[in-house]
């Protein structure tokens, strides 16, 4: 039985690209669930992570960074962030110390969808500032009077995260847990497998390539000898991109396969046989049915 005042709720993490949203969720869960890269716009949909404590179950929703949309894919990404706000009991608006006190218009706009919900500002990357420089940043944001709380953290160095958690819990309703207390997400294993492959592509390729790429796990079979067979398609938009991804004599693709397999095995805690194929689907980022197929479909006003 749970304690009488046990709390359960959804907490959306929203903000600009690259401020550290996925790093924060992983740090809070003490597990790598959401992929992290040095490039913006890595996260494309909402990623659910469940933190189970003695006193609370916090369901975090990591979301794509808020940008001006250029492709239908971007509109879907913003749609995922909006749907996370709609479901949230509390909202973590994430920014980083270098932003001074600016809340960009893309973020302001989406916050209109969150009217009445508690907005907690998380100022990340405080490890990059000298202690004496942090207070003025907090004061500048406080003058906006938009936020119930302002919490400076370093997601990377795991600084001030306990404070963040106890603050968040204050804003959650008293409720029984929604999920069993031994699971960390409801998204299937194969989703995280595809995401890890996508992360390696973000790390290894430049320019438009990572942004033009989707990954689809087409086969996922448990084999008796303890190895899982995973066949995944890497989707690109042009023939020339396919050539670059594969590389001369297939070396580049082989490297992606090796790097991905190591992380997938760590994530699944078992051995994996990974087979990657590269396919061209022209303009998939503008194609409603392909976006849906690759897992990016969402109703804007869900
Ligand atoms: N110095 C510093 N870097 C961070 C911190 N949190 C995240 N980063 C880096 O910022 C980049 C973007 O992080 P990510 O979590 O993918 O950002 P997202 O796009 O908001 O999800 C990565 O290179 C992270 O390692 C932090 O607290 N301090
Ligand atoms: Mg992210």
């Amino acid at each position: 039985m749970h304690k009488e005042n046990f709390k359960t709720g959804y907490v959306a993490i929203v903000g600009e690209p690259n401020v550290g949203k996925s790093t924060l969720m992983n740090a809070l869960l003490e597990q790598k669930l959401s992929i992290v890269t040095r490039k913006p716009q890595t996260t494309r949909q909402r990623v659910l992570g469940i933190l189970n404590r003695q006193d609370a179950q916090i369901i975090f929703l990591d979301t794509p960074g808020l940008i001006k949309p250029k492709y239908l894919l971007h509109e879907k990404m913003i749609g995922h962030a909006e749907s996370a706000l709609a479901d949230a009991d509390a909202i973590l608006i994430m920014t980083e110390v270098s932003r001074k006190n600016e809340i960009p218009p893309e973020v302001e706009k989406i916050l209109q969808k969150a009217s009445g919900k508690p907005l907690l500002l998380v100022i990340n990357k405080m490890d990059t500032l000298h202690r004496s420089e942090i207070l003025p940043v907090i004061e500048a944001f406080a003058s906006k009077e938009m936020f119930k709380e302002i919490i400076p953290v370093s997601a990377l160095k795991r600084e001030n995260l306990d404070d963040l958690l106890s603050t968040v819990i204050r804003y959650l309703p008293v409720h029984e847990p929604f999920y069993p207390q031994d699971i960390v997400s409801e998204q299937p294993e194969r989703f995280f497998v595809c995401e890890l492959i996508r992360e390696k592509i973000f790390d290894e390729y430049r320019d438009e390539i990572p942004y033009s790429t989707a990954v689809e796990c087409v086969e996922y079979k448990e084999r008796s000898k303890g190895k899982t067979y995973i066949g995944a398609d890497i989707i690109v938009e042009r023939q020339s991109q396919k050539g670059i991804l594969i590389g001369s004599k297939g070396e580049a693709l082989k490297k992606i396969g090796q790097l991905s397999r190591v992380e997938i095995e760590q994530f699944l805690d078992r051995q994996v046989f990974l087979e990657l194929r590269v396919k061209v689907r022209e303009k998939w980022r503008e194609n409603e049915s392909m976006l849906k197929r690759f897992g990016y479909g969402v109703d804007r006003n869900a």
Side-chain angles (χ1 to χ4, degrees), residues 14-16 66 93-96 99-111 119 121-123 140-141 144 146-147:
V14 298
E16 285 173 273
L66 300 169
I93 309 291
M94 200 151 176
T95 185
E96 58 174 78
R99 294 292 196 278
K100 306 295 179 223
N101 69 343
E102 280 163 44
I103 302 291
E106 287 75 28
V107 177
E108 291 254 15
K109 196 168 153 216
I110 202 173
L111 289 183
L119 301 181
L121 184 75
V122 179
I123 308 176
F141 276 112
K144 287 195 171 300
M146 288 169 68
F147 309 107

Side-chain angles (χ1 to χ4, degrees), residues 242-299:
K242 179 173 174 175
I244 296 170
L245 253 161
I246 294 174
S248 95
K249 296 188 189 139
E251 288 298 332
L253 187 64
K254 201 168 147 198
K255 185 168 179 204
I256 291 293
Q258 282 164 347
L259 293 168
S260 306
R261 187 175 48 78
V262 171
E263 284 223 23
I264 292 167
E265 288 185 338
Q266 213 173 329
F267 180 79
L268 297 177
D269 201 18
R270 57 179 184 266
Q271 286 196 307
V272 159
F273 184 86
L274 178 65
E275 197 165 21
L276 299 176
R277 279 173 235 95
V278 184
K279 291 191 175 161
V280 180
R281 295 282 178 271
E282 275 178 34
K283 299 206 170 126
W284 68 261
R285 283 184 291 179
E286 298 286 5
N287 184 307
E288 192 77 50
S289 68
M290 283 192 228
L291 286 167
K292 197 165 172 198
R293 173 165 174 179
F294 303 145
Y296 302 128
V298 68
D299 293 325

Side-chain angles (χ1 to χ4, degrees), residues 2-10 53-59 89 169 172-179 181:
H2 302 105
K3 281 193 237 136
E4 241 171 78
N5 49 1
F6 190 92
K7 294 202 162 177
T8 300
Y10 285 88
R53 301 182 16 138
Q54 294 288 352
D55 56 343
Q57 180 173 73
I58 315 175
I59 305 138
D89 296 292
I169 290 169
L172 300 184
V174 171
H175 202 283
E176 296 275 297
F178 293 143
Y179 291 95
Q181 282 168 294

Side-chain angles (χ1 to χ4, degrees), residues 16-23 34-37 39-45 62-65:
E16 285 173 273
N18 238 18
V19 294
K21 298 179 294 299
S22 299
T23 306
S34 220
I35 61 173
V36 171
T37 76
K39 299 190 177 74
Q41 299 171 45
T42 313
T43 309
R44 287 185 181 154
Q45 52 193 299
D62 182 21
T63 66

